[in-house]
C-alpha cells in the first residue's frame, strides 16, 4: 500500500479461520481514535437517506462522535471518587437528607434515544454525609451511560448505600422517553415514574412514607 498509494487495495478475510473473535477489522487508513467512528456516522447518514457530502453535513460525523463521547462519559468515572465524605458535623445528623427534582439527561439502551427528567434522592445518614451537589454529580455519572430508567435509580441508590453506608436510601425518577413519544407507540407527553428503595426506606413504612411524601 505504501509502494502503490494510488492503487486500489483488496483484502480477503477467511472468517472460517478468523481467530480474533468479534474484533473489528481496522484498516490501516482508518486509525483507531474518532476517525474510525466517523466512518460509521457517514454510513448512518446514508442509511437515513442523507447525502453525507452535502455542505451542511461536512462536520457532522466529527461532531456526532464528540457529542457521543460526552453523552457516554460516565463509563470511566468512579462513584467512589465523588462520594468521598466529610464526617465533620455528621455525627448529629440523624434526619433524612432529601434533594428534590435534580434534572438529568441520558439515553435509553434500547434505541440510544434521549430520555430525561428529574430525580429525587434521599438517604438516612449513618455518620457519613456528602455535599448535596455530590448527589447530582453521582446521578450524572450513571446518566452519562446508556440506561434504562429502573437501573439508573438502582445504581444511584446502591452507590449511596455502598459508599456512604447509609441506613436507607430512596431514588424516585420521573422521565420522558423520546423513543416512546416520537416514534413507535407515540405516547406524547407521557411520564414514567420509578423508585428504588433500600434499607429503612424499604423496610420501615414510616420512613418510606416520609420520603415518598417529600418526593412528590
Ligand atoms: Zn428506548
Amino acid at each position: 500500500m505504501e509502494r502503490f498509494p494510488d492503487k486500489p487495495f483488496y483484502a480477503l478475510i477467511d472468517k472460517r479461520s478468523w481467530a480474533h473473535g468479534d474484533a473489528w477489522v481496522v484498516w490501516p487508513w482508518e486509525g483507531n481514535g474518532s476517525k474510525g467512528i466517523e466512518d460509521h456516522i457517514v454510513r448512518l447518514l446514508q442509511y437515513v437517506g442523507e447525502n453525507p457530502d452535502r455542505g451542511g453535513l461536512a462536520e457532522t460525523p466529527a461532531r456526532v462522535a464528540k457529542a457521543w463521547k460526552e453523552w457516554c462519559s460516565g463509563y470511566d468515572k468512579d462513584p467512589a471518587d465523588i462520594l468521598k465524605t466529610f464526617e465533620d458535623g455528621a455525627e448529629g445528623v440523624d434526619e433524612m437528607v432529601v434533594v428534590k427534582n435534580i434534572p438529568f439527561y441520558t439515553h435509553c439502551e434500547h434505541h440510544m434515544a434521549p430520555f430525561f427528567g428529574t430525580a429525587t434522592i434521599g438517604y438516612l445518614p449513618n455518620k457519613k454525609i456528602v455535599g448535596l451537589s455530590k448527589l447530582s454529580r453521582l446521578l450524572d455519572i450513571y446518566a452519562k451511560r446508556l440506561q434504562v430508567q429502573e437501573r439508573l435509580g438502582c445504581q444511584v441508590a446502591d452507590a449511596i448505600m455502598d459508599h456512604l453506608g447509609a441506613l436507607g436510601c430512596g431514588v424516585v425518577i420521573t422521565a420522558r422517553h423520546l423513543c416512546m413519544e416520537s416514534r413507535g407507540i407515540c405516547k406524547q407527553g407521557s411520564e414514567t415514574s420509578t423508585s428504588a428503595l433500600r434499607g429503612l426506606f424499604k423496610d420501615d413504612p414510616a420512613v418510606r412514607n416520609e420520603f415518598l411524601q417529600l418526593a412528590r
Side-chain angles (χ1 to χ4, degrees):
M1 225 172 57
E2 282 167 18
R3 286 179 59 198
F4 306 102
D6 53 340
K7 294 281 185 278
F9 172 85
Y10 299 100
L12 289 174
I13 297 173
D14 184 350
K15 288 194 165 179
R16 290 167 303 180
S17 56
W18 179 249
H20 306 287
D22 291 329
W24 286 98
V25 179
V26 179
W27 301 113
W29 56 87
E30 289 180 330
N32 286 315
S34 62
K35 272 280 171 265
I37 194 65
E38 288 173 29
D39 290 344
H40 296 286
I41 311 297
V42 172
R43 291 269 183 92
L44 182 62
L45 288 169
Q46 285 171 332
Y47 173 72
V48 300
E50 264 293 355
N51 167 17
D53 295 326
R54 190 161 67 72
L57 297 174
E59 303 295 324
T60 297
R63 275 196 224 101
V64 172
K66 194 174 167 209
W68 274 103
K69 253 298 183 234
E70 186 176 341
W71 286 327
C72 289
S73 58
Y75 287 109
D76 47 20
K77 298 211 173 89
D78 184 352
D81 293 337
I82 284 192
L83 292 178
K84 290 210 180 85
T85 52
F86 35 85
E87 286 167 45
D88 274 7
E91 305 80 27
V93 181
D94 56 0
E95 294 291 323
M96 191 179 290
V97 177
V98 178
V99 181
K100 279 188 75 166
N101 299 330
I102 310 168
F104 72 87
Y105 298 86
T106 186
H107 294 82
C108 76
E109 68 182 21
H110 304 122
H111 306 89
M112 296 175 78
F115 73 92
F116 59 94
T118 57
T120 293
I121 303 174
Y123 69 103
L124 259 178
N126 182 16
K127 299 193 179 68
K128 281 186 182 176
I129 55 172
V130 282
L132 299 179
S133 67
K134 299 289 181 68
L135 297 179
S136 62
R137 285 180 59 200
L138 175 68
L139 176 66
D140 200 49
I141 281 189
Y142 291 114
K144 288 209 161 71
R145 302 177 184 190
L146 296 183
Q147 276 295 357
V148 295
Q149 184 173 331
E150 294 86 345
R151 187 174 66 226
L152 178 60
C154 287
Q155 286 177 324
V156 170
D158 289 337
I160 289 171
M161 294 301 283
D162 291 349
H163 297 290
L164 297 188
L167 299 174
C169 174
V171 180
V172 172
I173 294 179
T174 303
R176 292 178 59 185
H177 293 250
L178 291 196
C179 62
M180 263 168 57
E181 294 194 40
S182 66
R183 56 163 289 287
I185 52 175
C186 282
K187 282 180 77 180
Q188 278 129 10
S190 63
E191 287 187 332
T192 307
S193 284
T194 53
S195 61
L197 303 171
R198 300 287 185 272
L200 291 179
F201 282 55
K202 189 174 181 172
D203 302 331
D204 184 327
V207 173
R208 182 173 59 226
N209 288 339
E210 182 186 344
F211 173 66
L212 292 177
Q213 289 285 343
L214 285 168
R216 260 197 206 154

